[in-house]
């Protein structure tokens, strides 16, 4: 009998310490959300490299009593990297090493398209404030319109850390849906004649220009907007690795190994912010809705400014490249190419669209820096 | 967290968009400045001077050497060929004749074989 009692007591202790005893309906719902996201990543291949670890992080975050964030360990270290803005600049280092600024340097006027597309950020900000979010939360939600995951995470951590999960999921989900969201807006706002505009070939860009640009841009932007110095500084450092021609090993590491490792940490850590307590609130649905508004408004802003530039340049700029101003490198540029090719077979817009596309990355970071300076 | 400068969304939008445009315009100016001071930049002026000269000088070319073809070669084609040759660094005065290629495949084949033997 004594043995049986000891067995029962032990069993009760194991049960009391297990996750099942503290498991709530909310945890179950969030694990289901994680499974749906995993399905989208693996079966539908929507941004699988990001959505996969985010989804798994979401599942992990909803196991009760793991003590992930309370006790020192890997999970706490990952959370530290997110909460202290370590991972987004490292991702930017990799993006810089992967990005060719050549099309932007060959036609700097496309910077304006990258600026115009940022209107989506502020349309969403206005919408969020009208829906009752405070100004910091609205700024963090608005940045979804920049279609730039690391910048969205960077800004959310500083202005509305409790909304990080919803903002990151909205940003990455819509980035993967760019080929579905943008074309209808582009077609609605342009005429057949505008979509058929053929652009002149870009001039060759010298190595001198390619090396000077990241150095000078890092100096100017960091002096103007210190809050984003780490983001832009890492972007330009990565690009310098690439363009200098003497740091190939560093460029290779930044583009591949480092970027992949940091992506695992950043995405898993972002998923781990999606616990039921923070995520299962009505605000999440509003954020996802506002993110869609931000994407549509940003696309429209870029295309409308492209139409203006088309007229001003004497029909030398195809307005379709304006939509690429919403960052999402290089997907948004590919969308411009696909819509252009459908309107006029043989009209290759990809390289022309890469100019506003990389300008959008800088523009979103500048918008984030300005909001941090004004609103934090 | 310090107090925000303003909480009026429209003012935030206007200020932010202005800053984004100004910073990116400044970057555009910097890009142009880098292009201007680039010591490795190919000399565009020489090419620009050579191209109009080639076009201008190419126009009388048909008069120097009438085309073998009855219909002749249009001045536009002559100008394009002269500009292409000028872009390789040859002067327009070095162009002696521009003739349409023979349609006879046997003749062309013989010429090509001869030119290969010489080289």
């Amino acid at each position: 009998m004594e043995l049986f009692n000891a067995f029962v007591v032990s069993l009760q202790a194991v049960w009391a310490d297990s996750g099942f005893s503290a498991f709530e309906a909310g945890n179950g719902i969030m694990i289901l959300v994680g499974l749906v996201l995993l399905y989208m990543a693996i079966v539908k291949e929507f941004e699988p490299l990001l959505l996969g670890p985010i989804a798994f992080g979401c599942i992990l975050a909803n196991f009760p009593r793991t003590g992930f964030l309370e006790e020192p360990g890997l999970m706490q270290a990952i959370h530290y990297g997110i909460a202290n803005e370590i991972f987004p600049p490292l991702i930017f280092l990799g993006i810089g090493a992967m990005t060719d600024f050549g099309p932007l340097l060959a036609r700097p006027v496309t910077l304006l398209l990258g600026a115009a597309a940022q209107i989506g950020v502020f349309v969403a900000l206005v919408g969020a404030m009208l829906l009752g979010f405070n100004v910091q939360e609205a700024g963090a939600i608005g940045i979804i319109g920049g279609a730039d995951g690391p910048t969205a995470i960077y800004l959310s951590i500083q202005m509305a850390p409790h909304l990080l999960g919803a903002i990151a999921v909205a940003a990455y989900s819509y980035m993967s849906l760019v080929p579905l969201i943008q074309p209808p807006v582009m077609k609605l706002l342009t005429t057949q004649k505008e979509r058929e505009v053929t652009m002149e070939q870009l001039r060759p860009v010298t190595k001198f220009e390619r090396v000077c640009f990241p150095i000078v841009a890092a100096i100017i932007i960091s002096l103007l907007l210190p809050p984003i110095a780490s983001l832009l500084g890492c972007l330009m450092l990565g690009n310098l690795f690439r363009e200098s021609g003497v740091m190939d090993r560093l460029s290779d590491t930044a583009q591949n190994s480092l970027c992949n490792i940091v992506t695992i940490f950043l995405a898993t850590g972002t998923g781990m912010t999606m616990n039921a307590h923070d995520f299962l609130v009505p605000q999440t649905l509003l954020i996802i809705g506002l993110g869609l508004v931000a994407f549509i408004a940003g696309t429209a802003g870029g295309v409308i400014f492209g139409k203006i530039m088309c007229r001003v340049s004497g029909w030398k700029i195809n307005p379709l490249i304006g939509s690429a101003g919403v960052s999402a490198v290089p997907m948004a540029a590919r969308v411009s190419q696909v819509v252009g090719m459908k309107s006029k077979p043989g009209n290759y817009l990809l390289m022309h669209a890469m100019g506003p596309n990389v300008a959008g990355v800088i523009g979103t970071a500048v918008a984030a820096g300005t909001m941090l300076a004004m609103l934090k | 967290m310090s107090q925000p400068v303003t909480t009026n969304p429209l003012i935030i939008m206007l200020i932010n968009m202005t800053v984004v445009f100004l910073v990116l315009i400044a970057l555009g100016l910097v890009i142009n400045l880098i292009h201007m001071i680039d010591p490795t930049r190919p000399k565009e002026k020489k090419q620009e001077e050579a191209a109009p000269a080639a076009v201008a000088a190419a126009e009388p070319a048909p008069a120097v050497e009438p085309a073998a073809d009855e219909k002749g070669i249009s001045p536009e084609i002559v100008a394009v060929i002269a500009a292409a040759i000028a872009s390789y660094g040859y002067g327009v005065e070095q162009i002696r004749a521009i003739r349409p290629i023979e349609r006879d495949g046997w003749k062309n084949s013989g010429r090509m074989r001869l030119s290969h033997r010489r080289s």
Side-chain angles (χ1 to χ4, degrees):
Chain A
M1 194 64 191
E2 198 174 317
L3 187 70
F4 179 73
N5 282 342
F7 181 75
V8 170
V9 169
S10 302
L11 213 59
Q12 280 175 340
V14 169
W15 175 258
D17 277 352
S18 77
F20 285 109
S21 63
F23 198 80
E24 292 172 3
N27 298 121
I29 293 170
M30 286 312 294
I31 288 174
L32 276 177
V33 169
L35 291 173
V36 170
L37 292 177
L38 267 184
Y39 171 80
M40 285 166 67
I42 296 168
V43 181
K44 297 290 178 186
E45 295 188 19
F46 285 165
E47 290 274 332
L49 301 182
L50 291 161
L51 217 48
I54 287 177
F56 210 84
C58 169
I59 294 171
L60 288 175
N62 286 285
F63 298 146
R65 297 192 170 150
T66 51
F68 281 156
L69 302 183
E70 291 84 38
E71 294 163 20
L74 175 67
M75 297 307 179
Q76 202 183 52
I78 290 175
H79 184 70
Y80 184 87
I82 289 181
N84 293 282
E85 304 132 34
I86 295 169
F87 295 145
L90 285 174
I91 292 281
F92 259 49
L93 188 77
I95 293 173
M98 285 184 243
T99 302
D100 177 9
F101 281 116
L104 180 68
L105 298 175
R107 190 176 279 141
V109 74
T110 53
L111 277 161
L112 296 175
L113 294 170
Q118 303 312 314
I119 191 73
V121 172
F122 303 107
V123 167
L125 180 143
V126 173
M129 288 190 74
L130 291 175
L131 288 172
F133 288 96
N134 69 37
V135 69
Q136 283 95 0
E137 290 171 338
I141 294 166
I143 209 72
I144 298 171
D148 188 341
T151 307
I153 291 170
Y154 188 82
L155 195 71
S156 307
I157 293 160
Q158 300 197 46
M159 290 177 51
H162 55 288
L163 300 180
L164 174 62
I167 289 172
V169 168
Y172 283 118
S173 304
Y174 289 133
M175 276 167 66
S176 64
L177 294 174
V178 156
L180 296 177
I181 297 171
Q182 286 196 317
V185 182
M186 293 159 78
K187 286 177 187 166
L188 188 72
L189 294 173
T190 52
T191 63
Q192 181 68 20
K193 189 185 172 191
E194 286 169 339
R195 291 196 290 271
E196 288 179 358
V197 170
T198 306
M199 294 180 68
E200 287 172 15
Q201 197 176 353
L202 296 169
R203 72 168 172 82
V205 177
T206 64
K207 186 177 175 183
F208 179 85
E209 291 174 275
R210 289 176 183 275
V211 172
C212 281
F213 174 71
I215 300 168
V216 178
I219 293 170
I220 292 175
I221 298 175
S222 300
L223 284 173
L224 270 173
L225 295 163
I228 52 157
S230 63
L231 268 187
L232 255 297
C234 282
L235 181 76
M236 297 303 169
L237 176 62
N239 193 248
L240 189 63
F241 288 163
R242 173 196 174 94
E243 302 295 356
S244 68
V246 294
M247 292 182 256
D248 286 347
R249 280 167 52 197
L250 301 186
S251 174
D252 179 54
T253 303
Q255 289 185 42
N256 300 302
S257 322
L258 181 65
C259 196
N260 290 341
I261 290 168
V262 179
T263 300
I264 293 169
F265 290 161
L266 181 70
T268 311
T270 302
M272 290 189 64
T273 61
M274 294 168 66
N275 61 65
H277 181 259
D278 290 337
F279 202 84
L280 285 181
V281 288
Q283 286 177 327
T284 302
L285 286 177
L286 293 177
I287 290 168
I288 289 171
L290 284 164
L292 183 62
V293 171
F295 259 68
I296 292 171
T299 304
V303 173
I304 291 168
F305 205 85
K307 284 165 77 85
I308 296 168
M309 286 177 70
C310 176
R311 301 297 192 287
V312 172
S313 67
W315 294 82
K316 287 183 178 169
I317 290 180
N318 191 317
L320 292 177
I321 68 167
S323 64
V326 295
S327 311
V329 181
M331 257 181 302
R334 275 193 218 133
V335 171
S336 299
Q337 157 85 358
V338 169
V339 178
M341 285 280 278
K342 278 183 184 166
S343 300
K344 184 182 179 185
N347 192 9
Y348 296 97
L349 295 175
L350 185 64
M351 287 312 286
H352 304 291
M354 282 308 291
N357 210 189
V358 294
V361 176
I362 301 173
T364 306
V366 171
T370 315
M371 283 201 278
L372 280 172
M374 280 181 70
L375 309 178
K376 192 183 172 191
Chain B
M1 199 176 277
S2 58
Q3 282 294 311
V5 176
T6 174
T7 53
N8 183 327
L10 290 177
I11 292 176
I12 294 169
M13 180 198 258
L14 280 176
I15 294 174
N16 275 269
M17 282 306 285
T18 308
V19 172
V20 170
F21 265 98
L22 287 179
V23 171
L24 293 190
I25 288 170
L27 267 188
L29 294 175
V30 166
I31 291 171
N32 284 325
L33 186 69
I34 293 171
H35 181 58
M36 279 165 59
I37 62 165
D38 181 2
T40 63
R41 181 169 50 139
K43 302 291 177 207
E44 289 169 9
K45 279 187 180 175
K46 277 189 180 174
Q47 284 180 356
E48 283 170 10
E49 283 167 11
V55 172
E59 280 178 353
V64 176
E65 180 66 33
D69 193 273
E70 283 179 6
K71 291 175 186 171
I73 302 172
S74 70
E76 289 83 10
I77 299 280
V78 172
V80 168
I81 293 170
I85 292 169
S87 71
Y88 278 90
Y90 295 101
V92 177
E93 65 282 355
Q94 289 173 273
I95 302 171
R96 292 188 181 172
I98 298 174
R99 297 191 203 95
I101 195 163
E102 296 269 1
R103 298 276 175 189
D104 190 331
W106 287 107
K107 276 187 184 174
N108 282 335
S109 171
R111 276 184 187 155
M112 283 171 71
R113 197 176 294 171
L114 277 172
S115 65
H116 280 303
R117 275 186 197 163
R118 281 176 200 157
S119 59

